[in-house]
Structure formats: C-alpha cells, structure tokens
Amino acid sequence: MYLHLGGDMVVKTSDVVAILNLENISTSQSSREYLKSLENRSGIGSFDPEETKSIVLTRENVFASPISSLTLMKRASTLID
C-alpha cells in the first residue's frame, strides 16, 4: 500500500521507518542538528518550516510533509490493518 504525504508525494507504507512531528523535534538541539545535516546532504532539501508539519523517514529518503504526523499515522494504520 501507499501513503500519501501531501502534494504529489507518495511512499510505500512498508518503507516508512518513522513519522515525526516537526514541532516536537524542533525543540531539541540534537534534532535540529540532524535536520540541518539532512538538508546539507540533500536528504530533504531545504523545506519551509511554516508549511512543513511532519518529517517522514523511509528506508531510502526523508520527506517533509505539510500534513500533520497524527493524520499521517492514522492514514498509515488504516492501510496496514
């Protein structure tokens, strides 16, 4: 099954490793450094923190999504059940 991340982004649910709430991970210094390192090595490219609500880690890539982590988790769980 596939999980729609917003816009034209779709990933296989079996490839999803984690769905992170950007607001929660932005409060930690180490998490901010990790996001910055992903941007620097073009893992997610630069993203707009005002539009981005969650970060989705897959086996191969990292995606910035405008959809909340809670909504993505609900979508993923209905696809997995």
Side-chain angles (χ1 to χ4, degrees), residues 11-12 14-17 38 41-44 56-63:
V11 297
K12 282 182 148 182
S14 60
D15 289 344
V16 174
V17 174
L38 290 174
R41 64 181 173 159
S42 70
I44 55 175
V56 179
L57 304 174
T58 66
R59 295 176 191 200
E60 305 262 334
N61 296 307
V62 180
F63 298 93

Side-chain angles (χ1 to χ4, degrees), residues 6 17 20 26-27 29 33 41 43 51 54 57 61 67 80:
V17 174
L20 308 170
S26 296
T27 59
Q29 178 65 28
E33 290 172 5
R41 64 181 173 159
E51 287 186 24
S54 58
L57 304 174
N61 296 307
I67 300 173
I80 294 171

Side-chain angles (χ1 to χ4, degrees), residues 10-69:
V10 178
V11 297
K12 282 182 148 182
T13 54
S14 60
D15 289 344
V16 174
V17 174
I19 299 173
L20 308 170
N21 181 320
L22 183 62
E23 187 176 309
N24 289 345
I25 62 174
S26 296
T27 59
S28 164
Q29 178 65 28
S30 59
S31 295
R32 285 194 304 268
E33 290 172 5
Y34 176 68
L35 288 175
K36 193 64 170 169
S37 74
L38 290 174
E39 286 182 55
N40 290 339
R41 64 181 173 159
S42 70
I44 55 175
S46 59
F47 62 95
D48 183 358
E50 291 187 19
E51 287 186 24
T52 302
K53 294 183 181 176
S54 58
I55 301 294
V56 179
L57 304 174
T58 66
R59 295 176 191 200
E60 305 262 334
N61 296 307
V62 180
F63 298 93
S65 174
I67 300 173
S68 76
S69 58

Side-chain angles (χ1 to χ4, degrees), residues 1-4 11 13 73-81:
M1 294 299 214
Y2 291 91
L3 176 63
H4 181 252
V11 297
T13 54
M73 292 292 288
K74 286 179 182 176
R75 287 181 184 181
S77 68
T78 59
L79 295 173
I80 294 171
D81 290 342

